[in-house]
Amino acid sequence: MLGRMRARWLAVAVAGALVLSGCSAGSTATVGGDDTLAVGFTAEPKNFDFTTTDGAAIPQALLYNVYEGLVKLDANAEIAPLLAESWTISPDRTVYDFHLRSGVTFSNGAPFTADDVKFSIDRVRTEWTISLKSTMDVVDHVEVVSPTHARVVLKEPSNSWLFAMTTRLGAMFDPSGVGDLANRPVGTGPYEVTDRRRGDSVVLSANPDYWGRQPAYPTVVLKYYSDATALNNALLSNGIDVISGVTAPDSVPQFEADTRFNVLQGTTNGEVVLAFNNRRAPLDDVRVRRALTLAIDREALLAAAWGGRGTLIGSMVPPTDPWYEDLSHSYPHDPERARRLLSEAGQQDLHLRLRIANLPYAMSAAQVVASDLGRIGVDVTIEPLDFPAVWLQQVFTDHDYDLSIVQHVEPRDITTFGDPGYYWGYDSPRVRELLRRADTGSPRQQVADMREVARTLSEDAAADWLFLFPNIVVAKKEVTGLVRNQVSESFDLTGLGRG
Amino acid sequence: MTRNLSLLAGVVLVGLVVGTALVSFVWTPHDPLLVDASVRLLGPTGDFVFGTDKLGRDVASQLMVGARTTLYVGVVAVGIAALVGTPLGILAGMGARWLGELIMRVNDLVLAFPALLLAIMLGAVYGASTLTAMIAIGVATVPSFARIARAGTLQVMSTEYVLAARAGGRSRWWIALRHVLPNISGLVLVQSSVSFAIAVLAEAALSFLGFGTAPPTPSWGRMLQESQELLAVDPRLALVPGAAIALAVLGFNLLGDGLRDRFDPRLEVRR
Amino acid sequence: MNSGAERLPGGRWLGDGWAPAILRRIVILLVSVFVASIVVFAFMAVLPGDPAQVALGVNATPELVERTRAEFGLDRPLITQYLDWMGGVLTGDFGTSYVTREAIGPQLVDRLGVTLWLVGAGMLVALLIAMPLGTIAAVRHRRPSGTAVSALSQVGVAIPAFLAGIILVQIFAVRLGWLPSGGWTPPVRDPVEWLRGLILPALSLGLVQGAVLTRYVRTAVLDVQREDYLRTARSKGLRPYPALVRHGLRNAAVPVLTVLGLQLATLLVGAVVIERVFVLPGLGSMLLDAVAARDLLTVQGIVLVLVVAVLFVNFCVDVLYTMLDPRLRRS
């Protein structure tokens, strides 16, 4: 195994050298250069265990590529079969019968059966520690009807449960494969992790025993860069083939002008939110929150902070969700009204601490916010905090902030406004009731209620949704099958092809 | 001849930085913090001498206020180093042999914690800020002052007039204040100038790594870091603060060189 | 009190001569390493936040946090934790990271390898620049060419290494496409690619250090030139460069070597920034990542390694100095 890997790597490296040196003399044979795809990212997984480590980097690399669930979210944001060939839902919408694909094996050779479904779903409750796990609390129990038939019984109907099964929460594990999740992931996916160089790259190699179609690229190297500039430079200097997401928006025109590359721009689930600490004075006063929202010119902010690339949404709902509604005009830029509202609320000489993630989008946006709020007489101190470690501890856990800016990347995370303990400090019985009804009601009811939630949040100025983070993928022309909108948690490699 | 030239060049460059910083207190062409998306990424024009950055802020105004940050960091860091390092060096040169030995050993130990490392460690504990950067650079610079002061002190202590003073029953304090301090002040001044240059570089590197001055306070290092992604699009944004850093460092180094030549002979003569 | 000029760093205990002097240096090194380890450990111990909580994220139950604290041994007294850590470090075991759940020791070795290549290559570049330029600047110090070299070195000293790096990438990787913009290929995997990847980082690190070193070489050569034997040699008709090569450079080497040692420490730290610019998986980027993730045990290990490396380099310089300097050898 190791020998094979090394040989393969040598081939990869030699091929890479030939590609990179381009014009260098004496090139002999090109071995498998086309078989390898190098994709660049900016956030490196700390380890491979997304059951206990929060953050987007691990599912981005592993979900759908190494781990698979019963269902997946396809490019159109529809729930599609994956390890379950089909499923039926009982009339009262509490019993789900999954009919599993046969002949599926884990990368360690163990067969995938209904026992693994029970094991994996039960394990979320007992062993997982990440914040998303609560979505699975609604599961009552899992029955193994036959090796290819698993039945999941919910305590009450939940529209969000099956959706959650498309995320990392639905990943299927093998009981003998969870010994060292942090370092040795074992899944049923088309790829397995074959090499890792910390601070540099993760190598995925095609799993020869994969149940489905073999992927177009037998080897995919996920390369990690410390910042957006290094990532851009890597593509420009032929070090990688794809930029998974450009986070230096002002550099995009240079790719658009270059005939070697394709640029795709779509949406993500990442709402860049200016959070108000709703629990703490003076932000517990809706007039103050509205004043701040009115004072910020979001269109100008998007232009300045992110080169105008992104979507103004005005709520916690991205356009790819079924209940999306454009609420971006609820608070048109109006510093005069903002000032009036502030004086109505009796707030003069307001001084606020803006404690942000130390990431480029937040740093840029914060400076615009501070400048805009300065114009209505609100003094803002910007404090960048190491993200995630320090931000999670001080802002998210200890609620020690007035304002914060961070990108919320989880799909359908509007539900966090139903949790009064969440760092928003937002507590509205009406929103909680709407969310509950949306989850347990019929799908049509769900859409209506979720719309109402978004409107209520906007009305209350529970936060200021600055903009929706764009999904900007840049790839060499030869790489096909890239998806415009990033709707799932995964950077899905399975649809890629070679042009 | 060239020496006088370097002193002159040093004085001019440092004067330029200090002058810019002072002027920025009373006047800048624009508000350096005012964001205006409608004028972002403008090239140099009559209104914006060095153009505007990606948030539409005036680069020239930021550069002027950034000079303040640079000097502030330098003055505090070098101040800490000189005020702690010089007395320690004198003590090491005048005190009991074991004390001198101990001070110099601790000195070597501190030398093993370079400014960058200390700043990163301090930043991890207290959160990165201008303050942690200044303290780290200051502490890491203490050993150079202690070394210089000790060497100078040892030289002064072996001069005849100090031996005479000691024979005359003068106290150590009197000797330290009357003879040692005035004689090594030139050395300390030279070291200050050289250390200042190093501090400017260190602050730039720290801001570049995100361990320095927090936004929106303008800092040359952070201006450089923020404009890095635009290097291919608009190199001016990185080159302007880069040149400012280089000129400031050059100025303090030249000043140090020039001062060294003025002060060294004096030490010879007085001996 | 005797005259100060004879008092040398290191004192006089353990007697005279250079063998005891080196022994003395070793004792000092060991004590320094011990004290440094305490400083590093104490620094990390005062860090706010519970490492177990940080590692587990915000939704971990208190029981799980407790369990993890016990697992990592964080519930024991600090003294025990320190002794345990140091005991491990002495046998090469730096513990298991709370964040990556991987042994830190092998990671350190891996990353240190990258950093050492970078520092070594940077040093080489610096020497290749400084030796000829410094000598020219000294020999021709009264002529325009010598002054020009001196001035150039002054400008070189003033440019931040990371700025040099950014500009080099832009020109040679992005514009011209001659060299990779960053990344690391281990030499065993592909020596050619490894070398290509090393060139730009080594240049960024070496150019600035080379400028610093040029000034020291110039001073050293100038000092040597003033020595009598060289004047004699030149008065006998030897041209300046052969005379210098034959007689002077060995003597000039002593101060240069000292500076080189001190520079090595600077390079080691300068590599932190350069690794960031060029995305090299060295000790510096490991440190920055670990700090960002508040992976304290890893930070502790890296800082200790860096500090001990600097102490060790200084020790080597002292020893070499003792052995090479005739005045010291005589005493």
Side-chain angles (χ1 to χ4, degrees):
Chain A
M1 185 64 214
L2 203 75
R4 196 184 86 201
M5 222 176 74
R6 192 160 283 167
R8 182 185 289 171
W9 248 107
L10 206 64
V12 168
V14 168
L18 292 173
V19 171
L20 287 177
S21 45
C23 52
S24 76
S27 45
T28 47
T30 46
V31 191
D34 290 337
D35 287 349
T36 301
L37 183 75
V39 186
F41 296 84
T42 43
E44 185 185 4
K46 301 265 179 298
N47 59 56
F48 290 136
D49 184 4
F50 55 58
T51 72
T52 58
T53 308
D54 262 307
I58 313 174
Q60 188 175 44
L62 299 188
L63 193 65
Y64 302 165
N65 301 324
V66 172
Y67 286 112
E68 292 179 316
L70 299 177
V71 285
K72 77 180 278 185
L73 208 60
D74 68 14
N76 305 317
E78 308 276 351
I79 298 176
L82 192 58
L83 289 177
E85 276 178 321
S86 65
W87 63 92
T88 56
I89 307 172
S90 70
D92 70 347
R93 292 184 290 119
T94 56
V95 182
Y96 287 70
D97 280 287
F98 292 98
H99 302 283
L100 309 181
R101 216 172 273 283
S102 53
V104 175
T105 56
F106 286 95
S107 58
N108 64 0
F112 166 73
T113 67
D115 286 313
D116 299 313
V117 177
K118 180 171 170 52
F119 170 76
S120 302
I121 294 177
D122 285 348
R123 200 170 175 278
V124 175
R125 192 165 28 208
T126 56
E127 299 295 326
W128 289 45
T129 61
I130 63 164
S131 48
L132 290 169
K133 67 175 271 193
S134 57
T135 324
M136 299 292 273
D137 290 348
V138 72
V139 174
D140 188 69
H141 65 277
V142 184
E143 291 166 27
V144 178
V145 183
S146 79
T148 58
H149 182 182
R151 176 176 294 153
V152 180
V153 180
L154 305 186
K155 292 171 187 154
E156 55 179 7
S158 169
N159 290 313
S160 58
W161 180 76
L162 193 63
F163 182 82
M165 286 298 285
T166 68
T167 68
R168 63 191 106 164
L169 289 164
M172 288 297 134
F173 297 89
D174 173 48
S176 64
V178 294
D180 189 7
L181 285 178
N183 298 302
R184 309 196 154 275
V186 176
T188 60
Y191 288 100
E192 49 188 318
V193 176
T194 46
D195 193 16
R196 167 173 54 163
R197 295 191 57 81
R198 273 195 197 290
D200 184 66
S201 58
V202 169
V203 180
L204 302 180
S205 304
N207 170 7
D209 303 321
Y210 183 55
W211 58 268
R213 200 166 53 87
Q214 278 291 320
Y217 294 96
T219 307
V220 177
V221 183
L222 311 179
K223 298 223 15 138
Y224 294 97
Y225 295 87
S226 45
D227 62 67
T229 312
L231 180 55
N232 285 351
N233 289 341
L235 183 63
L236 288 168
S237 63
N238 238 338
I240 53 172
D241 306 302
V242 180
I243 295 179
S244 64
V246 176
T247 51
D250 286 312
S251 65
V252 177
Q254 107 193 62
F255 292 113
E256 287 169 335
D258 197 322
T259 52
R260 288 176 295 170
F261 308 118
N262 268 332
V263 179
L264 272 95
Q265 188 179 331
T267 61
T268 61
N269 285 318
E271 304 93 357
V272 177
V273 187
L274 171 66
F276 302 138
N277 195 341
N278 282 257
R279 199 175 320 178
R280 188 189 270 189
L283 292 157
D284 54 351
D285 186 336
V286 68
R287 289 172 298 187
V288 175
R289 297 199 299 268
R290 281 184 187 148
L292 299 190
T293 312
L294 284 166
I296 295 168
D297 183 353
R298 278 165 296 281
E299 202 165 332
L301 179 140
L302 180 60
W306 221 241
R309 291 170 193 273
T311 318
L312 299 177
I313 43 175
S315 78
M316 198 74 177
V317 183
T320 43
D321 278 346
W323 40 85
Y324 169 73
E325 191 173 24
D326 184 1
L327 296 173
S328 61
H329 302 293
S330 311
Y331 293 90
H333 183 220
D334 190 347
E336 261 321 302
R337 224 179 106 206
R339 242 181 248 120
R340 272 203 310 276
L341 270 172
L342 272 189
S343 62
E344 247 174 63
Q347 295 296 344
Q348 265 93 41
D349 303 322
L350 206 53
H351 179 97
L352 297 172
R353 287 192 309 156
L354 175 53
R355 314 194 77 202
I356 58 171
N358 63 339
L359 297 171
Y361 67 85
M363 297 285 238
S364 292
Q367 302 191 54
V368 184
V369 167
S371 174
D372 275 358
L373 295 186
R375 282 179 227 205
I376 61 159
V378 177
D379 182 31
V380 173
T381 313
I382 301 172
E383 296 176 27
L385 304 175
D386 273 333
F387 189 85
V390 179
W391 185 89
L392 273 182
Q393 185 62 48
Q394 300 192 356
V395 174
F396 191 84
T397 310
D398 300 341
H399 301 213
D400 180 16
Y401 78 106
D402 299 319
L403 309 171
S404 180
I405 296 177
V406 82
Q407 187 193 166
H408 284 254
V409 294
E410 273 86 18
R412 305 193 177 173
D413 42 15
I414 188 172
T415 52
T416 52
F417 284 96
D419 173 6
Y422 205 71
Y423 85 105
W424 316 119
Y426 178 76
D427 187 8
S428 156
R430 181 175 143 72
V431 164
R432 273 198 312 236
E433 173 55 24
L434 282 169
L435 283 171
R436 197 196 59 77
R437 221 169 64 187
D439 199 28
T440 53
S442 69
R444 189 187 300 167
Q445 173 97 58
Q446 184 188 19
V447 171
D449 282 344
M450 292 305 275
R451 281 221 172 115
E452 196 51 38
V453 171
R455 284 192 206 127
T456 312
L457 293 177
S458 167
E459 189 108 328
D460 285 348
D464 187 2
W465 296 272
L466 298 175
F467 63 94
L468 186 72
F469 209 76
N471 185 45
I472 307 173
V473 182
V474 184
K476 290 192 185 155
K477 282 258 158 74
E478 310 78 275
V479 184
T480 60
L482 289 157
V483 182
R484 185 172 297 273
N485 294 335
Q486 179 68 35
V487 286
S488 73
E489 295 182 311
S490 153
F491 190 85
D492 193 344
L493 299 166
T494 56
L496 299 187
R498 290 188 256 178
Chain B
M1 184 59 215
T2 54
R3 289 296 167 171
N4 280 332
L5 204 68
S6 74
L7 184 61
L8 185 68
V11 168
V12 168
L13 286 174
V14 170
L16 202 64
V17 177
V18 174
T20 309
L22 288 178
V23 170
S24 80
F25 278 103
V26 289
W27 177 81
T28 53
H30 294 268
D31 177 350
L33 301 184
L34 194 73
V35 171
D36 185 353
S38 62
V39 293
R40 68 192 303 261
L41 295 176
L42 288 186
T45 62
D47 200 14
F48 303 101
V49 186
F50 289 124
T52 57
D53 70 359
K54 62 179 176 180
L55 298 182
R57 295 174 299 195
D58 178 33
V59 172
S61 304
Q62 287 195 69
L63 207 64
M64 289 177 70
V65 180
R68 236 146 75 183
T69 311
T70 298
L71 289 178
Y72 178 46
V73 171
V75 166
V76 175
V78 172
I80 292 174
L83 289 179
V84 176
T86 313
L88 278 179
I90 296 177
L91 198 62
M94 291 183 70
R97 176 174 280 197
W98 66 267
L99 186 64
E101 179 77 7
L102 183 70
I103 290 174
M104 292 330 280
R105 289 290 75 80
V106 172
N107 215 38
D108 285 353
L109 192 63
V110 176
L111 215 53
F113 289 86
L116 202 71
L117 201 58
L118 270 182
I120 291 173
M121 287 165 72
L122 273 180
V125 179
Y126 300 105
S129 66
T130 316
L131 188 71
T132 56
M134 289 186 307
I135 292 176
I137 298 170
V139 171
T141 316
V142 165
S144 4
F145 278 89
R147 275 195 174 174
I148 287 285
R150 177 175 173 273
T153 305
L154 289 176
Q155 243 176 28
V156 175
M157 292 301 283
S158 63
T159 53
E160 275 162 26
Y161 55 86
V162 169
L163 292 178
R166 290 173 64 97
R170 294 293 191 173
S171 77
R172 279 167 186 260
W173 279 105
W174 189 87
I175 293 172
L177 290 175
R178 180 72 183 78
H179 292 296
V180 178
L181 207 56
N183 269 302
I184 66 168
S185 61
L187 286 175
V188 171
L189 199 62
V190 171
Q191 184 61 41
S192 298
S193 193
V194 174
S195 295
F196 212 110
I198 298 172
V200 172
L201 278 176
E203 195 270 342
L206 282 170
S207 292
F208 180 74
L209 292 176
F211 283 92
T213 309
T217 310
S219 137
W220 291 348
R222 219 192 51 257
M223 284 171 78
L224 196 50
Q225 188 253 332
E226 283 179 353
S227 55
Q228 203 203 144
E229 64 177 69
L230 295 162
L231 201 60
V233 187
D234 195 349
R236 161 192 58 97
L237 280 175
L239 294 182
V240 168
I245 293 168
L247 286 179
V249 174
L250 186 63
F252 281 105
N253 271 334
L254 289 174
L255 186 65
D257 277 5
L259 287 174
R260 184 176 295 133
D261 285 354
R262 298 216 34 177
F263 285 115
D264 263 359
R266 211 182 90 193
L267 205 72
E268 302 275 330
V269 172
R270 280 261 198 111
R271 185 149 37 125
Chain C
M1 183 173 254
N2 56 3
S3 85
E6 275 175 39
R7 277 180 53 185
L8 298 158
R12 272 289 156 272
W13 42 281
L14 279 177
D16 287 344
W18 63 268
I22 287 172
L23 195 62
R24 207 155 50 219
R25 289 281 164 203
I26 293 176
V27 174
I28 291 170
L29 174 70
L30 293 179
V31 173
S32 302
V33 168
F34 173 66
V35 176
S37 74
I38 292 180
V39 171
V40 172
F41 182 83
F43 216 100
M44 292 300 134
V46 299
L47 206 79
D50 179 351
Q53 181 81 54
V54 171
L56 291 170
V58 290
N59 276 59
T61 57
E63 298 82 60
L64 187 68
V65 173
E66 258 334 291
R67 207 169 76 198
T68 313
R69 281 177 64 84
E71 195 184 314
F72 291 146
L74 291 166
D75 50 353
R76 299 168 304 160
L78 282 179
I79 285 282
T80 322
Q81 286 186 46
Y82 169 76
L83 290 177
D84 202 46
W85 177 60
M86 262 328 267
V89 166
L90 290 178
T91 58
D93 175 11
F94 284 77
T96 302
S97 157
Y98 313 142
V99 177
T100 66
R101 327 263 171 89
E102 238 186 9
I104 297 168
Q107 274 288 313
L108 276 175
V109 173
D110 213 33
R111 299 291 191 104
L112 187 63
V114 176
T115 302
L116 288 182
W117 276 122
L118 176 59
V119 169
M123 183 63 91
L124 189 69
V125 171
L127 278 174
L128 287 178
I129 292 170
M131 285 302 177
L133 285 189
T135 312
I136 290 173
V139 173
R140 310 192 153 201
H141 75 282
R142 288 187 202 286
R143 273 180 268 170
S145 55
T147 313
V149 170
S150 299
L152 201 68
S153 73
Q154 278 282 18
V155 174
V157 172
I159 294 173
F162 64 89
L163 180 61
I166 295 171
I167 293 173
L168 285 175
V169 168
Q170 200 58 37
I171 296 172
F172 292 102
V174 175
R175 290 278 158 85
L176 298 172
W178 292 353
L179 294 164
S181 64
W184 176 256
T185 315
V188 286
R189 194 176 279 170
D190 182 348
V192 176
E193 201 48 33
W194 165 75
L195 199 63
R196 280 161 47 80
L198 197 56
I199 292 175
L200 290 184
L203 275 179
S204 336
L205 198 57
L207 283 177
V208 178
Q209 293 305 317
V212 177
L213 206 56
T214 301
R215 307 182 60 201
Y216 285 104
V217 173
R218 175 178 176 274
T219 313
V221 175
L222 271 181
D223 285 349
V224 170
Q225 273 186 314
R226 294 199 190 103
E227 301 273 338
D228 292 339
Y229 57 89
L230 212 63
R231 284 198 192 143
T232 318
R234 285 173 70 172
S235 67
K236 281 182 187 162
L238 264 169
R239 289 160 46 84
Y241 286 105
L244 201 60
V245 170
R246 200 174 293 175
H247 301 281
L249 284 186
R250 190 181 168 274
N251 289 317
V254 176
V256 170
L257 210 63
T258 315
V259 176
L260 208 63
L262 293 174
Q263 291 265 296
L264 210 59
T266 318
L267 280 172
L268 211 54
V269 177
V272 173
V273 191
I274 294 302
E275 283 170 17
R276 203 46 155 194
V277 174
F278 288 95
V279 207
L280 300 176
L283 220 46
S285 34
M286 188 181 179
L287 175 67
L288 294 174
D289 288 344
V291 166
R294 290 298 183 273
D295 186 353
L296 300 191
L297 201 56
T298 305
V299 174
Q300 209 168 296
I302 300 167
V303 172
L304 186 70
V305 166
L306 281 174
V307 168
V308 169
V310 175
L311 284 172
F312 184 71
V313 167
N314 290 348
F315 161 79
C316 291
V317 170
D318 282 342
V319 168
L320 271 176
Y321 198 76
T322 316
M323 289 168 71
L324 281 179
D325 192 52
R327 277 171 304 166
L328 287 175
R329 203 163 35 191
R330 198 180 53 226
S331 72

